[in-house]
Amino acid sequence: MSNLQPLIVYSSGPAPNPYKVAFVLEELGLPWKFESIPMSDLKKEPYTNLNPNGRVPTLADPNKDIIIWESGAIVDYLIEEYDQDAKLHYTTLKEKNATRSWQYFQVSGQGPYFGQLGWFEQHHAEKIPSAIERYTNEVKRVIDVVDGHLAKNGTDFLVGDKVTYADLMLIPYFKAVGKGSLMAKDVDTSQWVHYTAWMKRLHDRPAVAKVAKTYDDIWEQILAGQEADKNKD
Amino acid sequence: MTTFPSKPIRVLFLLEELGLNYEIKSFRFDDVKKKPFIDVNPNGRVPAIEDPNTGIVLWESGAIYQYVIEQYDIYHRFSYETSKERHACNQWLHFQMSGQGPYYGQCSWFMHLHKEQLPSAIDRYTAEVKRIIGVLEGVLAARESQWLVGDKMTFADMAFMPWNFRLSEVLKKSWDEVWEGAPHVRAWHESMANLPSWQRLMVTRDRIMEEQKLQWNGVPKGIETFNDYENQIAANDAAEGR
């Protein structure tokens, strides 16, 4: 591992998706670094030469001369190429596939809906209550799905009692909601007891804690900036 | 599978092309977030599969795709063995699952199902649909092959079909207007739409929707809006003591 060149994760400041990849890289003990691109440059060359969709993350692995975009595909690549000891995945058929269900749930059922909430709460040109309500309800429903699953199975993690890449992938967007967070500030996530315990269990892991701190610091700055702007008016 | 079945259709397309036997269990949208289906899929969405040959029960069409390919595409007719191509297929599948599907879905929601007409929300998602088509056009135009990965149709190409096939209805535009400025995407899409397997599936889909008495957008015939449909479901549940 020590003779590996650092893997590069293209990110954009506080954008959540690159952090999914960072959690996996850190848990696998791989050398890596963020290369942060301003949001305004993402949909232009040269970045679109790496990722025609103009989003983050993209991974460049100089050790294998490969560039991959889409966080789900990047995570699959890292697991296949670098998780030989099955630290973050199962090799048994049922568990391997169950992990994928949660992975795809994250990329298509959590991420985009939480992202739309962020958009309509923070960035859309007008405040549309029914759109904000739609996505707030979906955020609650998604948390409820995870909470219900953990309660029903009584396991520490989503698939059995071992952490998998699926647990890690769900972290960034979940961190962004609830009291003291950026989105859905009126939603008290502690009401979902199993979900809350699972998030704490994940954050107790040193690798997760280390990456989470970087993420938290960036968001703290943003929230402080927002408070300052409010007080100016 | 249930109403507006774009994701289940995606799975069936792969099963059809692989020549696998399958059985469709179709049920009402009313029941998708209730037992017994939520015991199969805690997220309460379709599709889910049960494979009696392995005992595997799986939800999320992307996970199902990868399972079916790994388990049954042993001759790599729709996939590649080589590392770079495998990861590229995976990348496109993820783009479809997280970057196309949900945005086309929100477009369809705000255009046809949301309880009020919100022009700025509609504009946001129609612009994103156009942008996604533009991304595909840029990539396909630059490739020698007409396919996203390598020189054959893979599961990565197939995954895009169901949502693209609904675009004319979703956007309320003619196909010429939908594909304006995207001739490579059009050609790619039409190659797949002309496959016998796809055409068979469209017949199946229409039959099931007719059996369930559904309009193209998944709302039962005789009900005006999705909001009315949700209210009716809630009323039925209350009456049945659920």
Side-chain angles (χ1 to χ4, degrees), chain A residues 44-184:
Chain A
K44 302 176 187 157
E45 294 191 8
Y47 186 69
T48 50
N49 294 329
L50 293 174
N51 178 346
N53 193 31
R55 286 179 176 239
V56 286
T58 298
L59 181 87
D61 183 353
N63 306 289
K64 310 221 183 207
D65 186 32
I66 197 166
I67 292 181
I68 302 186
W69 44 280
E70 284 300 322
S71 61
I74 294 171
V75 168
D76 280 354
Y77 167 79
L78 292 174
I79 294 298
E80 191 175 301
E81 297 295 327
Y82 294 108
D83 190 20
Q84 271 79 28
D85 297 336
K87 216 182 148 221
L88 297 179
H89 75 282
Y90 287 91
T91 52
T92 42
L93 190 72
K94 187 173 161 207
E95 287 72 18
K96 182 171 78 161
N97 283 287
T99 308
R100 283 209 184 115
S101 292
W102 289 105
Q103 175 192 34
Y104 277 94
F105 169 68
Q106 188 283 309
V107 301
S108 69
Q110 183 217 38
Y113 291 93
F114 282 50
Q116 300 326 295
L117 179 62
W119 175 266
F120 283 105
E121 271 190 354
Q122 311 284 328
H123 303 291
H124 198 64
E126 47 169 343
K127 279 275 177 283
I128 308 181
S130 69
I132 292 174
E133 187 192 356
R134 166 175 167 75
Y135 294 110
T136 306
N137 285 341
E138 190 61 11
V139 161
K140 291 181 191 168
R141 193 191 72 78
V142 164
I143 296 175
D144 199 60
V145 166
V146 170
D147 185 77
H149 172 77
L150 291 165
K152 184 178 168 186
N153 288 2
T155 51
D156 277 353
F157 297 102
L158 290 168
V159 184
D161 288 318
K162 172 164 108 170
V163 75
T164 62
Y165 60 86
D167 299 278
L168 300 175
M169 286 176 75
L170 283 158
I171 300 174
Y173 273 111
F174 276 152
K175 281 175 75 60
V177 298
K179 294 188 179 312
S181 299
L182 193 68
M183 309 194 288

Side-chain angles (χ1 to χ4, degrees), chain B residues 2 124 152:
Chain B
T2 177
R124 166 173 166 76
K152 67 187 182 200

